[in-house]
Amino acid sequence: MLDLEEIRSALDGLIQIDLVRLRRAGSKFALALDCTVDDLISDAVCSAYSGSRECRRDLPILTFLIGAMRSIAWNAKVSSRKAGRGVSLDATGTDGRPLVVLKSNAPDAETLILRAEDVALRIAALEDLFADDEPALLVIMADLDELSKEEIMAMNEMSETTYNSTRTRIRRKMERRFPNGWTA
């Protein structure tokens, strides 16, 4: 496992394209967590520094950080499911006796509405950006439905070469249109 100095050195060795890849990979996980990409990257780096996640010597630091972000997002999703099962005895009824109330970390209605509006705006921006490129739009929409590469290729009757070139075209067009990611 890498020690603190080796981690620091590996992070210092990241070049600009590595940082772009890190941000791009983290954007999907951050969206699911309802946090910024920078916050998620920071959490991943802090987990490496604190030793709560250990990086093997044979693993590139970029791969480690992407895996750490994926793990953080997954753990948050699992813990939010479990949190709804807890019970609070803090509430009392009109007779003064304790009431059993399920705890919930589920977002309130306003947060859900804002989240849905944000997703709708992002999808509309993608539809506008790729209005003249139907294969790319089909791949994006299938991606949003969390279909696998194989499912997308079969559904759109694409060869692997066509699929890969479509993904490259999507990435390049999005990087030109949104050079700093999805910012408001």
Side-chain angles (χ1 to χ4, degrees), residues 17-100:
I17 192 68
D18 293 333
L19 299 176
V20 169
R21 288 181 180 136
L22 187 63
R23 288 184 62 78
R24 188 173 354 120
S27 63
K28 182 176 180 180
F29 302 126
L31 182 61
L33 287 175
D34 198 26
C35 70
T36 68
V37 176
D38 293 330
D39 289 340
L40 186 55
I41 291 171
S42 177
D43 286 349
V45 170
C46 286
S47 69
Y49 278 149
S50 70
S52 62
R53 297 182 194 278
E54 295 181 339
C55 182
R56 296 187 328 255
R57 292 190 182 282
D58 63 334
L59 189 66
I61 193 72
L62 182 63
T63 305
F64 167 76
L65 291 173
I66 291 171
M69 290 188 297
R70 180 182 297 116
S71 177
I72 290 167
W74 177 256
N75 289 339
K77 185 176 180 180
V78 169
S79 68
S80 71
R81 284 185 195 152
K82 289 180 182 176
R85 297 184 190 144
V87 174
S88 170
L89 297 175
D90 293 337
T92 56
T94 55
D95 58 358
R97 294 177 42 200
L99 293 175
V100 174

Side-chain angles (χ1 to χ4, degrees), residues 111-127:
T111 302
L112 290 173
I113 290 169
L114 291 173
R115 216 181 267 171
E117 286 176 1
D118 184 52
V119 168
L121 289 172
R122 291 175 190 224
I123 290 173
L126 289 173
E127 288 173 343

Side-chain angles (χ1 to χ4, degrees), residues 149 159-169:
K149 174 183 175 179
S159 67
E160 185 149 359
T161 304
T162 304
Y163 175 82
N164 290 337
S165 64
T166 303
R167 298 290 293 192
T168 301
R169 201 169 57 248

